[in-house]
Amino acid sequence: MEKFVNNRAFINDARSPQKKKLKLESDERRKQEEDEEDEEDEFSHPVPWQKIEAERLDCDYALLFSKEEADHLFKQLEEEVVYSTGEEAQVQVFGKVHDIPRKQATYGDAGLTYTYSGVTRLANPWTPTLEYIRDVVTKTTGQTFNFVLVNRYKDGQDHMGEHRDDEKELDPLCPIASVSLGAPRDFIFRHRDARGKQRRRQIEPVKLELAHGSLLLMNSPTNTFWYHSLPVRKKIPLPRINLTFRRILLYRKK
């Protein structure tokens, strides 16, 4: 992952040349120390990345949390997250209303909304655990996020159909960061030209297993060209929580 380090400009000093030189050398040393501290703080959670690539697919995958910490975070989320019910637990697909085959919740910065599948969701205030995970993802990637979609799958029967996260209010320069906790599940990418009976090309799908404590970054232009899904896996009896962190641009919503 590329690291972005904040650069600071020097301030002009009108003192004598010798004092100015000493001052600049002191400032330079202090600046270097501060930049090193900033870099250590912003990227204080280094992980080994695995690159996943195909035609117009660009993803990065890593184990973000140890099993012990992932277990703890899963338990905390089970206590903190409040999931949608009633009409908020439904979506529109091709004009028809369907119950979502999993539990879902939205959290983020105050006043943010996110519209997908014909439904607009208002962000609830960040919980302590969601805020902690968001900050770890930011320190790992150098990206900032202001919204998260939480999906809870009670077992392998709960699933997610093929779709793209390409809503207009999402920042196209920011990856979608997907954190998985709980039972490992298959995650499948399928190119838009290789779907259904009217497929135009033969492009093999890309299949991953998202592990407990893992982070998947879906970089641009992945969500333009590839659909993704979490299919039914009847033999999986355990729950899974997935967090997809996003950056919503307010000016695009107007």
Side-chain angles (χ1 to χ4, degrees):
M1 296 293 294
E2 186 175 0
K3 298 184 178 181
F4 300 90
V5 181
N6 293 329
N7 292 316
R8 295 180 176 81
F10 290 121
I11 299 175
N12 289 331
D13 193 307
R15 301 176 184 178
S16 67
Q18 182 63 28
K19 290 183 178 180
K20 183 175 180 181
K21 179 180 179 182
L22 293 174
K23 177 69 165 53
L24 286 174
E25 290 176 350
S26 176
D27 286 348
E28 186 174 357
R29 285 195 300 270
R30 185 167 60 251
K31 174 183 177 295
Q32 182 178 357
E33 291 172 357
E34 289 175 353
D35 284 351
E36 288 174 354
E37 290 175 359
D38 286 346
E39 183 175 356
E40 181 179 355
D41 179 64
E42 291 183 16
F43 297 93
S44 59
H45 204 98
V47 295
W49 291 97
Q50 175 187 351
K51 175 62 75 173
I52 300 167
E53 294 178 302
E55 180 183 323
R56 296 299 186 97
L57 184 146
D58 180 4
C59 295
D60 296 286
Y61 178 80
L63 286 178
L64 185 62
F65 299 109
S66 67
K67 182 182 183 306
E68 291 74 20
E69 187 169 15
D71 287 345
H72 173 72
L73 293 172
F74 184 93
K75 181 180 178 181
Q76 292 297 112
L77 291 176
E78 290 283 71
E79 297 176 359
E80 294 177 6
V81 175
V82 178
Y83 293 96
S84 302
T85 58
E87 291 184 358
E88 291 189 350
Q90 297 176 327
V91 293
Q92 292 184 27
V93 181
F94 299 115
K96 295 183 179 181
V97 177
H98 300 269
D99 291 334
I100 300 174
R102 58 194 176 276
K103 288 185 176 181
Q104 204 163 67
T106 51
Y107 289 82
D109 292 355
L112 280 182
T113 60
Y114 181 47
T115 301
Y116 60 98
S117 299
V119 180
T120 298
R121 311 285 193 205
L122 177 65
N124 293 301
W126 294 99
T127 73
T129 302
L130 287 173
E131 197 168 37
Y132 169 77
I133 298 173
R134 179 203 65 195
D135 290 347
V136 172
V137 173
T138 290
K139 289 178 180 179
T140 303
T141 65
Q143 297 284 352
T144 58
F145 304 90
N146 57 12
F147 187 90
V148 65
L149 177 64
V150 184
N151 284 294
R152 186 187 189 277
Y153 304 81
K154 69 179 185 300
D155 55 29
Q157 294 281 6
D158 281 4
H159 60 280
M160 176 181 64
E162 286 189 348
H163 70 286
R164 292 179 291 178
D165 296 323
D166 59 351
E167 288 75 19
K168 64 180 182 180
E169 60 257 57
L170 294 177
D171 185 345
L173 300 179
C174 179
I176 291 178
S178 174
V179 175
S180 296
L181 299 166
R185 291 288 297 267
D186 290 338
F187 190 77
I188 299 176
F189 287 102
R190 196 178 305 277
H191 195 279
R192 66 184 186 182
D193 293 339
R195 299 175 67 241
K197 297 179 180 179
Q198 303 300 319
R199 69 187 65 180
R200 293 181 290 169
R201 303 171 61 194
Q202 291 292 330
I203 302 176
E204 290 296 317
V206 177
K207 177 181 174 182
L208 313 173
E209 183 182 71
L210 301 180
H212 182 41
S214 67
L215 169 63
L216 175 69
L217 288 183
M218 290 184 279
N219 306 306
S220 178
T222 300
N223 270 293
T224 299
F225 294 92
W226 292 79
Y227 287 72
H228 57 269
S229 66
L230 193 93
V232 170
R233 292 293 183 259
K234 296 181 180 179
K235 294 183 179 180
I236 295 179
L238 300 175
R240 170 184 185 261
I241 295 176
N242 178 249
L243 314 173
T244 47
F245 292 92
R246 304 143 192 265
R247 184 159 68 227
I248 294 176
L249 297 176
L250 294 178
Y251 75 87
R252 287 199 166 207
K253 301 179 71 64
K254 298 179 181 179

